[in-house]
């Protein structure tokens, strides 16, 4: 019995280690904010180094400080937004207004964290600024997501402009144009036939006159 329990326990340990140290829900909740924070931190490092050039300061210190601040802002914003979305039951159960509220809440949390890093006196301004930033950005994203694609109108084409040397024809206009050309060709053929008939008549009358 003891020998049979040991392989089972080792198998359970292998399965648990294969699944990872954290539950998938926790990984899905933590990993995206870290990614967003990484992108934001990279942008912060670039901005910090660029600012140090104009300020004639140490670019390493400015880049590190700016990168840390932007990483904290980005990760805290996305983490708070992810928690708010889960509290609402997921994005599929949220209205556009709910998404705006979630982003505003996340912005206030990120602003508080960023203000706390810069000093207690910056907490309230950071909350206000990042709340407006989060809500405004989400409203723009909602507008872009719900915008209907513009129907293409052939009448608005550049070929329809009076300044265009070319003209785009409709099917009916093309048929009419081809019909006119066919009529012109048929008229030219009729004229050629008449001319050929006149020449043949002239050739037949010429021997009679000679005799």
């Amino acid at each position: 019995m003891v020998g049979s329990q040991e392989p089972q326990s080792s198998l359970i340990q292998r399965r648990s280690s294969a699944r990872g140290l954290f539950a998938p829900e926790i990984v899905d909740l933590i990993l995206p904010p870290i990614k967003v924070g990484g992108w934001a931190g990279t942008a912060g490092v670039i901005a910090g180094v660029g600012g140090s050039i104009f300020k004639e300061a140490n670019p390493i210190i400015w880049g590190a400080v700016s990168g840390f601040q932007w990483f904290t802002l980005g990760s805290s914003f996305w983490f708070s937004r992810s928690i708010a979305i889960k509290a609402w039951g997921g994005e599929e159960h949220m209205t556009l207004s709910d998404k705006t509220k979630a982003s505003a809440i996340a912005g206030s949390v990120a602003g508080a964290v960023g203000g706390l890093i810069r000093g207690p006196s910056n907490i309230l301004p950071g909350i206000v600024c990042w709340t407006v930033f989060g809500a405004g950005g989400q409203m723009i994203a909602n507008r872009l997501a719900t915008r209907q694609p513009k129907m293409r109108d052939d009448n608005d084409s550049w070929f329809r402009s009076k300044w265009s040397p070319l003209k785009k024809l409709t099917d009916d206009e093309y048929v009419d144009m081809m019909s006119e050309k066919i009529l012109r060709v048929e008229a030219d053929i009729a004229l050629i036939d008449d001319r050929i008939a006149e020449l043949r008549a002239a050739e037949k009358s010429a021997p009679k006159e000679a005799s």
Side-chain angles (χ1 to χ4, degrees):
M1 293 294 293
V2 177
S4 62
Q5 290 179 356
E6 290 181 355
Q8 291 179 358
S9 61
S10 61
L11 181 60
I12 293 173
Q13 292 178 357
R14 290 178 183 177
R15 289 181 178 179
S16 61
S17 62
R19 292 177 182 175
L21 298 176
F22 301 100
E25 294 79 6
I26 298 178
V27 174
D28 294 338
L29 189 63
I30 295 178
L31 189 59
I34 293 176
K35 291 181 178 179
V36 174
W39 287 108
T42 302
V45 170
I46 296 173
V49 172
S52 67
I53 296 174
F54 292 99
K55 294 290 185 178
E56 296 182 355
N58 190 332
I60 298 177
I61 296 177
W62 274 61
V65 172
S66 179
F68 173 73
Q69 290 179 351
W70 280 97
F71 173 82
T72 305
L73 288 172
S75 59
S76 59
F77 174 83
W78 203 259
F79 181 74
S80 303
R81 186 177 183 273
S82 301
I83 292 178
I85 290 174
K86 284 186 176 295
W88 256 288
E91 290 192 13
E92 62 275 5
H93 298 97
M94 296 177 65
T95 62
L96 297 180
S97 178
D98 294 337
K99 293 181 180 180
T100 303
K101 293 176 183 178
S103 296
I105 294 172
S108 64
V109 174
V113 174
L116 184 62
I117 294 175
R118 298 176 65 88
S121 61
N122 296 315
I123 293 177
L124 184 58
I127 292 175
V128 174
C129 179
W130 279 88
T131 299
V132 174
F133 174 78
Q138 187 62 55
M139 291 174 66
I140 294 174
N142 294 340
R143 184 66 180 272
L144 295 176
T146 57
R147 185 176 60 180
Q148 297 293 334
K150 185 179 179 181
M151 299 299 294
R152 184 177 179 181
D153 188 3
D154 292 337
N155 294 326
D156 295 336
S157 176
W158 181 78
F159 292 101
R160 293 285 182 180
S161 176
K162 64 180 180 179
W163 304 107
S164 174
L166 303 176
K167 182 180 179 181
K168 186 176 181 179
L169 301 177
T170 62
D171 294 339
D172 295 336
E173 291 176 343
Y174 181 76
V175 171
D176 295 338
M177 184 186 68
M178 294 304 297
S179 298
E180 292 178 359
K181 289 186 176 181
I182 291 173
L183 291 175
R184 290 177 184 176
V185 172
E186 290 179 349
D188 292 338
I189 292 174
L191 292 175
I192 293 173
D193 290 338
D194 294 339
R195 182 59 178 169
I196 291 174
E198 290 177 359
L199 292 174
R200 288 177 179 177
E203 288 178 356
K204 290 180 181 179
S205 61
K208 294 180 180 180
E209 292 177 358
S211 61

